[in-house]
Amino acid sequence: MLLAAVLGAVSWAGTAGAGFAQQTSSPERIVGRDECKKCHDLEYTAWEKSSHNTKAWQLLDHPKAEGFAKALGVSKDDIKGDSACAACHGTQQKKDGRFSVAHGNSCESCHGGAGGSSGWLKNHYDFGLGTAETSDVKMDALLKERSQESAAHRNSRDAACKVAGMNRSDDAYEIAKNCLQCHIVADAKLAAARHPMSENFEFVEWAQGEVRHNFLLDRSKNAESPTNWLDPLRNGPGRTAEGRKRLMYIAGQLADLEVSLRIRGETTSEDADALRDQVNDRILGARKRLDDAKSVAELKPALDATQAFERRTLRKVAPDDRATYTKAADAVAKTATAFVAAHPGGGSLPETIKVPTKAKGTVWTGKP
């Protein structure tokens, strides 16, 4: 089963020799992290030190990796190549007809493929002043020209990047769903082989931990939230790191609920018992955490649409499961859109929302 197909509206066309893949951008659209490093050197360094970059790839050498690959029909020799394994544990790229795999998850694993004829890279650093026509752009020059960009051009540029598939800091819900491409292992064969998935994936914990890389406007510290998102000159007053955390927390739970519901609708065969049990737990967990935040009015449609789902009903397989769970997932997705639109800065969310205070891993501070 294609997880990309389950999530919908992605550009990944599949990986040779495998039944599913997590990389949502085709290898042809991956320009590679070195292009990002030209302007975002500190962000690049912070990410390079994260386990997403290091441990993710090293896990392909784990003693159990060959067994997981075998469950998918992937040979030992292909684990680190054109396979579903490398699509999640690495970043697959095809340039000038040559296929390669970068070790670990990289910039485009999260922000979307930047290259190709319709990629977002050029729009991303085109501030309407000619910089995008140069081949060697530096951060200092970009920040200077960025400060001179007109509001109209900025809005147009942001919209163009979004259409081209870029996941920006404003897109908290889309980023959370993208994370789940790998943090939920939506393949019945892998689940039966006991391939682990992140049982309690929590968006805020990761964003405040080892994957934090927010140096854009202040290169002296790794900020709690993206400084571009916080910038009052760009987005108006009232945005805070705490508000961002509340926004990300709810967005993350909605994303987990939607994705898990869609997978549940597909897991109707007997050989999908292990995967079905895991996503059932996710549905109940996300639903409970959202119910704890029911004071947020925009969440009501999602809560109503999933009210009837209990462990007993989730375990029972029925002929209309696909329609039932797809309908509920659609309601959650619609709720998420309304929620983000109503609380773009997070500041209007009640402080009573229980946001995790711990972080996954150590934040890189910019010091050796």
Side-chain angles (χ1 to χ4, degrees):
M1 176 179 62
L2 279 167
L3 177 56
V6 170
L7 295 184
V10 294
S11 57
W12 178 244
T15 303
F20 81 111
Q22 281 90 356
Q23 184 171 316
T24 58
S25 296
S26 66
E28 288 82 1
R29 294 197 63 181
I30 302 298
V31 299
R33 65 189 78 185
D34 286 343
E35 287 296 313
C36 304
K37 183 182 179 181
K38 291 178 180 179
C39 298
H40 298 285
D41 56 327
L42 290 178
E43 290 84 356
Y44 171 95
T45 303
W47 188 265
E48 288 286 288
K49 294 180 178 295
S50 73
S51 66
H52 279 68
N53 177 60
T54 56
K55 187 178 179 181
W57 184 255
Q58 293 167 1
L59 284 172
L60 294 182
D61 293 317
H62 192 280
K64 293 183 178 181
E66 188 174 346
F68 295 144
K70 185 178 180 180
L72 292 174
V74 175
S75 72
K76 181 180 179 180
D77 293 336
D78 290 335
I79 290 177
K80 295 184 177 180
D82 191 1
S83 73
C85 307
C88 195
H89 291 269
T91 309
Q92 297 176 327
Q93 181 178 18
K94 192 171 186 179
K95 187 175 182 179
D96 299 328
R98 295 187 61 185
F99 180 88
S100 62
V101 183
H103 297 186
N105 309 128
S106 58
C107 314
E108 292 164 284
S109 299
C110 300
H111 294 289
S117 59
S118 59
W120 53 259
L121 182 60
K122 185 175 179 179
N123 282 324
H124 177 52
Y125 61 83
D126 179 2
F127 301 112
L129 300 170
T131 301
E133 300 305 320
T134 66
S135 60
D136 189 18
V137 188
K138 299 299 183 183
M139 175 59 80
D140 291 342
L142 279 176
L143 288 178
K144 182 178 180 180
E145 293 206 358
R146 178 181 178 276
S147 67
Q148 302 173 40
E149 183 183 24
S150 69
H153 188 274
R154 181 194 70 214
N155 293 335
S156 175
R157 177 168 61 89
D158 288 349
C161 287
K162 187 174 181 66
V163 169
M166 183 183 189
N167 291 325
R168 301 173 56 253
S169 55
D170 273 332
D171 305 323
Y173 188 66
E174 285 79 5
I175 293 174
K177 285 182 65 174
N178 189 77
C179 295
L180 292 169
Q181 292 275 354
C182 283
H183 282 274
I184 296 182
V185 182
D187 186 275
K189 293 179 180 179
L190 279 182
R194 298 183 181 275
H195 185 295
M197 70 166 69
S198 298
E199 294 181 4
N200 296 305
F201 169 76
E202 210 300 296
F203 198 16
V204 178
E205 290 179 353
W206 282 112
Q208 294 305 309
E210 61 157 75
V211 302
R212 189 197 296 184
H213 51 289
N214 302 316
F215 291 97
L216 183 64
L217 298 186
D218 184 350
R219 292 168 62 77
S220 67
K221 65 179 180 180
N222 193 346
E224 283 191 300
S225 294
T227 48
N228 188 47
W229 182 88
L230 288 170
D231 186 4
L233 295 178
R234 179 182 179 85
N235 301 307
R239 294 193 174 195
T240 65
E242 290 304 314
R244 170 77 175 181
K245 293 174 190 176
R246 290 191 285 271
L247 172 68
M248 292 179 70
Y249 177 71
I250 299 298
Q253 299 305 323
L254 286 167
D256 204 339
L257 183 58
E258 181 199 342
V259 173
S260 297
L261 286 166
R262 295 197 190 283
I263 297 171
R264 174 60 186 83
E266 300 292 332
T267 56
T268 56
S269 61
E270 291 184 4
D271 62 357
D273 287 350
L275 178 58
R276 185 164 53 249
D277 287 345
Q278 291 186 64
V279 295
N280 287 349
D281 288 342
R282 301 187 79 96
I283 291 168
L284 293 172
R287 178 60 172 75
K288 171 63 170 62
R289 289 184 282 273
L290 288 169
D291 194 52
D292 290 341
K294 61 185 176 183
S295 60
V296 179
E298 291 78 19
L299 297 183
K300 189 176 187 302
L303 295 175
D304 289 346
T306 56
Q307 186 66 47
F309 297 141
E310 302 175 351
R311 190 167 299 278
R312 176 179 57 83
T313 57
L314 288 167
R315 283 178 173 173
K316 185 178 179 181
V317 175
D320 58 350
D321 272 357
R322 177 177 293 182
T324 297
Y325 291 105
T326 297
K327 181 179 179 180
D330 289 345
V332 173
K334 187 175 180 179
T335 295
T337 299
F339 164 75
V340 174
H343 305 279
S348 55
L349 292 170
E351 295 181 7
T352 54
I353 293 176
K354 298 177 181 179
V355 177
T357 56
K358 62 180 180 179
K360 293 280 190 179
T362 302
V363 178
W364 187 69
T365 62
K367 298 177 182 179

